[in-house]
Amino acid sequence: MSAAAPAHDHHDDHAHDHAHPAGLKRWLFTTNHKDIGTLYLWFSFAMFLTGGVMALLIRAELFQPGLQFLNPEFFNSLTTVHGLVMVFGAIMPAWVGFANWLIPMQIGAADMAFPRMNNWSFWLVVPAAILLVSSFFVPGGAAASGWTLYPPLIIQQGISVDMTILAVHILGASSIMGSINIITTILNLRAPGMTLMKMPLFVWTWLITAYLLIAVMPVLAGSVTMLLTDRHFGTSFFNAAGGGDPTMFMHIFWFFGHPEVYIMILPAFGVISAIIPAFARKPLFGYASMVYATASIAILSFIVWGHHMFTVGMPAAGQLFFMYATMLIAVPTGVKIFNWIATMWQGSMTFETPMLFSIGFLCLFAIGGFSGLVLAITPVDITIHNTYYVVAHFHYVLVSGALFAIFAGVYFWLPKWTGHMYHEGLGKLHFWLSVIGFNVAFFPQHFLGLAGMPRRIPDYALQFAEWNMVSSIGAFIFGFSQLLFLYIVIECIRSDRKAADNPWEGADTLEWTHLPSPAPYHTFETAPVVK
């Protein structure tokens, strides 16, 4: 394989030129993929808690009808920044953290291809997050247009919108730098013998995700730049008063926005494809079909943006096209779910915490997928557009999809990362609290949406009171159970429960078979040969 030789050269340079750094300078200037992965993961968890506090404020306000704690403007700011923080601050950086930790270890490389750019990619997300969160404290408060930043509302608000646009630009630059790094690493630094079709599925899902990011991030950057010029430089791209078209922004935004959903979900598919075979003690069923299904989902994600806009006045032919295209995505997704179930079929399964979160992912993500199919049907979508049914749907996709997979992955690789075993009993308690809290919080929102409760409102009619109360109780259970997760991780790092090099019987990728636990500071002194 042509990519093998550079792996040796690069690694030798890395091993001899770098002393093992320590202290603050280690974290500020690090070019080590594991350190940067750790930084990303801790940063994303901090943002997850920040976004979570906003979510709990929202649910506290919605606990009963009437305005209790928040004024409507602040409520709208909370829903806006909660969405932006969770998408760009929590879920995406968490996956980049996984990519940094795992891709070099799973392909037998010494490090990422561009270590210095890797450092830059991380340190760009910090000021962006500060811009987003600090926008609450400027005159006029944070942006209150929803995370979709729709005009004309977004054109009329104060300086916080400019801060949000700048934050989105910085995050986009960071994502593109990270994507270039990941693609170059995967295509050039694989160990001898590791062909593309021998790569672990997590590496495949990230390779496809990185291409998606490079394709859609400039679209988002272009659309928010046009917003900025509409606000300050007299243009009228989206300003109807000057001849612009707000609907055009929706088309451009969702051309980015729908692939963005898969950017957050595809790495989850890779993590689940690593965990289920390990705990079923069987090879992944249909590896090649999983690769093709992942690529198909990525391609199809570009032609479904219109299903977010059935109510804007689209020709019937357009509605039919987007309806059928959206339904088509269920086919490759169904292939994946079938393959995971087939992998478990007649396997010698055990149910440690990573497997529990994986099965939780499988069941709950399937519910999110089915509710997505319901929303794909044009007449149904027009009826329940912008209701809580939509809120329930995307939380089933992104929380029980992306977030549960992140938890599964953290528990699965924590022994390799820290050299210690987490507390299994507490891990299982975290799973059950999360799965119960999550379902109590979000399943009733299907009923609220079908009954007609609109989203993004701080007050509601009396008939929605009971299910809102149940939903808020579930949200608080789910929210506070994440503090248990923080305790488990810290306790694991400090514990003296040494982890074996491969504590999972069925795990067979390079990081388990060729590296000790914890993984050494310089990964793979000599590139392994894959047969």
Side-chain angles (χ1 to χ4, degrees), residues 491-511:
E491 196 271 344
C492 171
I493 294 168
R494 292 184 166 185
S495 79
D496 52 4
R497 293 184 298 274
K498 295 289 180 196
D501 289 349
N502 186 358
W504 316 122
E505 217 172 285
D508 59 358
T509 42
L510 289 179
E511 78 273 24

Side-chain angles (χ1 to χ4, degrees), residues 20 29 49 76 110 129 219 254 262 269 282 308 313 321 353 358 372 391 400 405 425 427 441 468 471 509 516 529:
H20 194 124
F29 304 115
L49 293 184
N76 281 341
V219 179
W254 284 114
Y262 293 98
F269 293 165
K282 278 175 65 186
H308 294 272
F321 170 79
T353 309
S358 299
V391 179
S400 63
N468 266 300
S471 180
T509 42
V529 177

Side-chain angles (χ1 to χ4, degrees), residues 417-500:
W417 294 345
T418 65
H420 301 142
M421 289 303 290
Y422 62 88
H423 192 291
E424 187 62 49
L426 288 178
K428 286 179 175 168
L429 178 65
H430 175 227
F431 167 74
W432 286 112
L433 285 173
S434 294
V435 80
I436 291 169
F438 171 80
N439 281 296
V440 173
F442 292 106
F443 206 80
Q445 294 181 7
H446 290 105
F447 312 142
L448 288 168
L450 291 172
M453 178 172 164
R455 60 196 281 207
R456 292 173 180 156
I457 53 162
D459 191 9
Y460 49 83
L462 204 57
Q463 69 264 30
F464 304 127
E466 283 83 4
W467 284 125
N468 266 300
M469 192 178 291
V470 171
S471 180
S472 292
I473 291 169
F476 275 89
I477 295 171
F478 180 72
F480 282 103
S481 63
Q482 305 322 314
L483 296 177
L484 177 62
F485 174 67
L486 177 63
Y487 172 79
I488 292 167
V489 172
I490 293 173
E491 196 271 344
C492 171
I493 294 168
R494 292 184 166 185
S495 79
D496 52 4
R497 293 184 298 274
K498 295 289 180 196

